[in-house]
Amino acid sequence: MDVAAVYKKYYRIMPVIPVLLAIILAAFLPSLKLGIDFTGGISISFSSDKHVPPSVIEEALRAKGFGDVTVTPLADGYLVEVAHADVPDPKKLALEAISSVVNMKDVVVMEVVPTLGSEFWSVVSGAALWSVILLLIVILVAFRHPVPIGIMIVSALFDGLAMLSLMGLANIPLSLATISIILMMVGYSIDTDVVASAFIFKRKEGDVFQRAAQAFRTGATMSLTSLGAMVIIFLLGLLTHNPTILRIGLVMVFGLVADIIITWLFNAPVLMIVGGRNE
Amino acid sequence: MNRKVMLVGLVVLLSLLVIFIKGLKLGTDFTGGAVLIFRFDRPLSADEMKMAVIILEKRLNWTGLRDVTVRPWGDQHVLVKIGGTGPEETAFIKNAVMRQGKFEAVVDGNVALLGDEIVLTGNYFIGHLAGGYTWEVPFLLKDSGVQRFFSVLRQKCTYTSCPDIYFFIDRPVGKYLVMDENLYESEKLVPRTGTKPSKDYVDLNEVIKNAGVKLVIFKDGLELNGPAIVPDYLADKIKAPEIRAVPVREGRSWVWDALNLRAIIGIRDTLRARILAGHTTNELAITGWSPTRKEAEKEVEELKIILSSGSLPAAITPVSEQSIPPTYGRSLFLMFMAAIVVAAVVVAMIIALRYKRWEIVLPIIGTILSETIIVLGIAALIGWRLDIPSLVGLIASIGSGVDDQIIITDEMLRGRKEKKEVSLLTKIKRAFFVVFASAASLAAALVPLALTGIPTFVGFAFTTLMGIAVGVLLTRPAYADVLKEILSRQKSI
């Protein structure tokens, strides 16, 4: 594929795609939920040789007084998430309810009391804010020119939006693990933007579309290797039937795909347009 | 050979050595176990938190659990990690932590002191004496304590001797103590210090009287009508409404463990004289002698714990619990290891497809492997416990860490193609600007998370940031040098 030719032909209209995507994604943002790490609750994942419809398990739990019940079938088991109940040992109650309708093996239990959950949330949201501020400072200090800074901010925002919205769409709740992934992906998104702005914007040799094509070659290789590793994590999650790893892998892939789209369909064309004006 | 490359090679070898010798420590995600978070009902001062952590560690160690760590989080929470146990034991652990820790000092079967009547002064003394070390832990008695303590002693002491004071925490009063013939014979004489062999012993009957338990010798088909404390090997051979199985431990008196006995204290002549003279005092001290300073310090610490054990600085409640079965964890770890290898292979293949020249691909692969090994080596060296977030961070680093090498490579290859007189050095410098910028941005994103102290973040940030540090400081500069060497060799041909 002659990347330079593609860019030459379409660079003015390419940015429309990410903008449209952003609008569509934003629609899913409200469906994002906070996970039990922040709301408190009980999460039980287990494997089972018996197969029952999730509703059976949900009913059993509701009968014991649990609210906010979600049962997600895994490859060979289930992931059960319920809100915390005001009884002396809610975990035991939940386990009893589930084991009355299905066999349980390899049970992994996580219980968080709501007060701790809100404590986690205030600590984590504070830390996340700091992450964003520090990231901004690093970009400002390292690059000092409004154009690369601008596109990096656009990348970060789009990647963040994509990850959060797709999480809402895929019913992946916000948890300690997923928040660290989101911040990591935003940090990594800098790499491809630096390549794009260094080639397209800063350098003057040759035709701007050729430079964009070269940037794309480098950037695509970078994204592909990252994608490779992240897909492995996702597959690991599938193979081990571990919902945490699965969700982490999925969020990583979301973030990476979003980064490829925003960097090469939006930032690169913008750099070409702005760079063109300066030439 | 280039110095930087040699350095990398050396560090890799050292890392492999460390990993081989020390081994990789695994967190509860892989060993199975429990992670519990407890909350105090008010924020604690730094000293209070320190004391609380020590008390909890001791309590958990006393229950016979091995792999226990207690860590403070902020000023109001503690994190308790117990490795290798299953979900059933977590209930047991919660109880051990939250137990009131009722302290009683018993003399001749009578309770002479309760835990809330003792106040530790916080001082202690250790000094040289008679080829060893004498130590002293002073404490104060509150008024109610003074009254009862001295009146009990006045009744029990004679002009020649006073009975010993037995310190219990959660004395199993009214319960049955079951032993079989063999155990009874070996425990007839109870060591004064709880460990065997000992210089000094007391009669088992004295201990039993003070514990307030009923001794029962085991016979087949034994049935009891009340709660019982039994050696673990007899647990399924006895019928009773409640059974507490206590393991028999090497070098330890079983009776001490079974009865929650913590100390046997003798009364000094001088104190005895005062007691009999009708004096009271609220200042007391427990003294002892140990052959080495280390042992003296250990005894002092134990005693401080015992005396303050009845009182954690504030009430404590469980607020989070995670339990993972050991078998599940182990298979998970193996799969993770496989995933790391597969990820490295996949990344290597992509690199090979792009560059197609072995002299470029091999160094890049070498860089990936070196970084991974070195990070694992550092983890092994500092005893870092690897958990799921750590290993996920490692895999992510494999995929993204290679970004820098790609930038460096493309930059240098392009320079050659264009035949511009821009020196290779400038190219490297430009590439490294990017390397540093991306490292800084990742650090900016992850450091605030790591500083929260939340284990998920800390594990993840550790491996990711370590990978970056190793890359930026060690392996990527070395790679740049290797590539420069290779490319300039080709130029001259």
Side-chain angles (χ1 to χ4, degrees):
Chain A
M1 183 176 79
D2 189 352
V3 177
V6 172
Y7 267 131
K8 193 164 186 178
K9 205 167 171 196
Y10 297 111
Y11 79 105
R12 288 188 194 275
I13 59 169
M14 273 175 173
V16 173
I17 302 175
V19 170
L20 284 175
L21 279 172
I23 297 173
I24 297 173
L25 286 168
F28 291 111
L29 204 53
S31 353
L32 180 67
K33 286 206 176 74
L34 289 178
I36 65 166
D37 286 340
F38 302 120
T39 58
I42 300 171
S43 145
I44 301 174
S45 70
F46 58 95
S47 51
S48 177
D49 47 16
K50 199 168 161 201
H51 284 286
V52 297
S55 49
V56 172
I57 303 177
E58 285 174 18
E59 263 315 301
L61 286 159
R62 293 220 178 85
K64 293 269 185 177
F66 284 103
D68 223 351
V69 179
T70 327
V71 177
T72 317
L74 305 170
D76 70 343
Y78 301 88
L79 170 67
V80 173
E81 290 160 308
V82 297
H84 211 255
D86 212 356
V87 292
D89 197 347
K91 196 175 59 75
K92 195 159 153 218
L93 199 62
L95 286 168
E96 277 171 8
I98 301 173
S99 51
S100 69
V101 293
V102 73
N103 302 342
M104 297 172 82
K105 213 179 63 129
D106 286 339
V107 183
V108 176
V109 183
M110 170 83 168
E111 178 188 5
V112 177
V113 161
T115 44
L116 182 68
S118 28
E119 182 107 22
F120 271 159
W121 177 248
S122 59
V123 168
V124 169
S125 45
L129 198 62
W130 270 110
S131 292
V132 170
I133 292 173
L134 284 177
L135 202 51
L136 216 62
I137 294 176
V138 167
I139 298 175
L140 285 166
V141 166
F143 298 104
R144 285 179 229 198
H145 195 292
V147 173
I149 292 173
I151 64 161
M152 282 173 207
I153 294 177
V154 166
S155 253
L157 288 173
F158 186 80
D159 288 355
L161 172 69
M163 284 186 277
L164 293 169
S165 306
L166 290 169
M167 280 168 71
L169 180 61
N171 253 322
I172 298 176
L174 201 58
S175 64
L176 294 172
T178 46
I179 280 195
S180 43
I181 300 296
I182 291 173
L183 289 169
M184 180 191 84
M185 296 303 294
V186 168
Y188 271 133
S189 72
I190 304 293
D191 290 7
T192 44
D193 296 315
V194 172
V195 168
S197 71
F199 276 71
I200 300 172
F201 190 69
K202 270 203 166 144
R203 299 190 194 169
K204 309 296 173 205
E205 325 69 60
D207 161 293
V208 72
F209 303 111
Q210 300 283 18
R211 301 205 302 267
Q214 284 166 348
F216 182 74
R217 273 191 85 200
T218 304
T221 315
M222 288 159 63
S223 300
L224 234 81
T225 53
S226 307
L227 192 64
M230 289 164 189
V231 164
I232 299 291
I233 295 176
F234 171 72
L235 290 174
L236 181 67
L238 274 182
L239 283 169
T240 57
H241 321 302
N242 186 305
T244 309
I245 302 174
L246 188 69
R247 285 168 169 177
I248 289 175
L250 217 50
V251 173
M252 282 178 170
V253 171
F254 291 161
L256 201 53
V257 170
D259 192 52
I260 295 174
I261 293 175
I262 193 73
T263 307
W264 304 110
L265 292 180
F266 189 89
N267 288 345
V270 164
L271 287 167
M272 286 186 246
I273 294 169
V274 173
R277 279 211 208 107
N278 288 344
E279 269 167 20
Chain B
M1 247 248 155
N2 184 280
R3 235 180 52 190
K4 287 190 192 144
V5 178
M6 286 204 295
L7 185 61
V8 171
L10 187 67
V11 178
V12 169
L13 267 144
L14 283 172
S15 305
L16 285 170
L17 214 66
V18 171
I19 294 172
F20 197 62
I21 295 176
K22 263 194 133 186
L24 289 170
K25 268 224 171 108
L26 300 178
T28 53
D29 284 343
F30 302 119
T31 60
V35 179
L36 301 141
I37 300 183
F38 293 89
R39 182 200 178 88
F40 290 103
D41 64 2
R42 62 167 174 83
L44 301 181
S45 72
D47 282 333
E48 286 177 319
M49 183 55 91
K50 230 162 102 177
M51 199 76 214
V53 168
I54 295 175
I55 291 174
L56 291 173
E57 277 176 335
K58 284 282 173 177
R59 281 193 190 176
L60 290 165
N61 282 327
W62 280 337
T63 57
L65 293 162
R66 286 295 147 99
D67 198 0
V68 174
T69 45
V70 179
R71 253 187 46 220
W73 179 59
D75 58 8
Q76 213 172 337
H77 294 87
V78 279
L79 219 83
V80 175
K81 279 192 191 178
I82 301 139
T85 58
E88 323 80 43
E89 277 118 310
T90 47
F92 175 64
I93 289 157
K94 264 161 120 169
N95 287 332
V97 169
M98 292 172 56
R99 213 177 50 199
Q100 249 311 276
K102 188 168 169 219
F103 170 87
E104 284 171 303
V106 183
V107 175
D108 200 33
N110 293 98
V111 176
L113 274 181
L114 295 171
D116 51 8
E117 293 166 333
I118 295 184
V119 179
L120 269 187
T121 61
N123 309 324
Y124 64 91
F125 306 99
I126 298 183
H128 260 300
L129 184 69
Y133 291 83
T134 175
W135 49 263
E136 182 176 303
V137 176
F139 58 94
L140 298 171
L141 296 183
K142 296 194 194 159
D143 288 339
S144 56
V146 172
Q147 300 297 347
R148 180 174 42 248
F149 186 65
F150 282 95
S151 70
V152 168
L153 286 176
R154 221 172 295 132
Q155 290 168 35
K156 305 290 180 179
C157 287
T158 69
Y159 275 101
T160 43
S161 68
C162 275
D164 292 321
I165 310 178
Y166 287 74
F167 284 9
F168 292 92
I169 295 187
D170 295 330
R171 193 167 66 118
V173 125
K175 297 196 181 172
Y176 289 104
L177 182 70
V178 181
M179 289 196 264
D180 60 2
E181 288 284 351
N182 285 338
L183 192 58
Y184 179 66
E185 286 304 313
S186 68
E187 296 280 329
K188 252 177 153 167
L189 289 172
V190 179
R192 258 183 188 277
T193 54
T195 49
K196 299 185 201 180
S198 168
K199 276 202 303 197
D200 240 326
Y201 290 89
V202 296
D203 193 295
L204 178 62
N205 293 318
E206 270 300 304
V207 178
I208 288 183
K209 179 170 67 173
N210 280 293
V213 294
K214 298 172 260 190
L215 177 62
V216 175
I217 302 293
F218 174 76
K219 287 190 178 57
D220 275 317
L222 179 64
E223 273 190 42
L224 297 165
N225 58 10
I229 304 165
V230 313
D232 54 357
Y233 55 83
L234 289 180
D236 4 326
K237 302 199 180 123
I238 297 172
K239 269 202 168 137
E242 193 192 290
I243 293 185
R244 185 178 141 230
V246 179
V248 178
R249 291 198 280 172
E250 190 71 29
R252 195 90 192 133
S253 159
W254 181 80
V255 161
W256 272 66
D257 289 343
L259 299 176
N260 291 330
L261 179 59
R262 296 296 174 228
I264 302 178
I265 310 288
I267 295 184
R268 282 208 299 223
D269 300 342
T270 45
L271 185 57
R272 187 180 72 234
R274 298 194 68 174
I275 291 169
L276 292 170
H279 292 304
T280 61
T281 171
N282 74 333
E283 288 174 17
L284 293 173
I286 298 176
T287 58
W289 184 91
S290 303
T292 66
R293 189 180 176 101
K294 237 195 158 155
E295 283 179 46
E297 284 172 352
K298 183 165 166 288
E299 301 235 18
V300 164
E301 203 199 288
E302 292 256 1
L303 211 50
K304 279 167 71 181
I305 298 290
I306 292 169
L307 291 176
S308 60
S309 234
S311 42
L312 276 174
I316 192 173
T317 42
V319 285
S320 165
E321 179 182 326
Q322 185 190 39
S323 46
I324 296 166
T327 44
Y328 177 77
R330 256 168 251 142
S331 58
L332 192 64
F333 179 68
L334 291 171
M335 304 222 53
F336 249 107
M337 287 294 115
I340 291 177
V341 172
V342 172
V345 168
V346 166
V347 169
M349 288 198 319
I350 296 173
I351 298 286
L353 277 166
R354 165 78 204 274
Y355 294 110
K356 300 189 181 82
R357 294 158 61 176
W358 284 118
E359 61 264 22
I360 294 180
V361 173
L362 285 178
I364 294 184
I365 296 178
T367 324
I368 303 173
L369 288 175
S370 315
E371 284 178 17
T372 310
I373 294 174
I374 296 175
V375 171
L376 288 174
I378 295 175
L381 185 68
I382 63 177
W384 184 267
R385 281 182 185 275
L386 296 170
D387 50 11
I388 290 179
S390 314
L391 292 185
V392 168
L394 196 65
I395 297 181
S397 302
I398 290 177
S400 317
V402 88
D403 284 359
D404 291 341
Q405 277 87 297
I406 296 170
I407 292 176
I408 296 172
T409 310
D410 281 359
E411 191 63 18
M412 298 218 260
L413 286 180
R414 264 180 20 89
R416 284 194 57 229
K417 263 207 210 143
E418 287 170 358
K419 297 188 169 48
K420 272 215 146 184
E421 279 324 300
V422 184
S423 72
L424 219 45
L425 194 62
T426 314
K427 296 256 160 227
I428 295 176
K429 274 197 188 150
R430 290 212 307 218
F432 264 90
F433 169 73
V434 174
V435 169
F436 283 122
S438 78
S441 46
L442 209 56
L446 293 181
V447 165
L449 291 185
L451 292 178
T452 61
I454 297 176
T456 312
F457 292 160
V458 176
F460 183 72
F462 175 75
T463 43
T464 314
L465 292 173
M466 265 300 126
I468 298 172
V470 167
V472 168
L473 296 172
L474 213 60
T475 53
R476 287 161 215 179
Y479 172 74
D481 276 12
V482 167
L483 198 59
K484 191 175 79 170
E485 189 66 33
I486 291 172
L487 293 180
S488 46
R489 263 200 224 139
Q490 298 190 336
K491 243 184 190 165
S492 49
I493 287 176

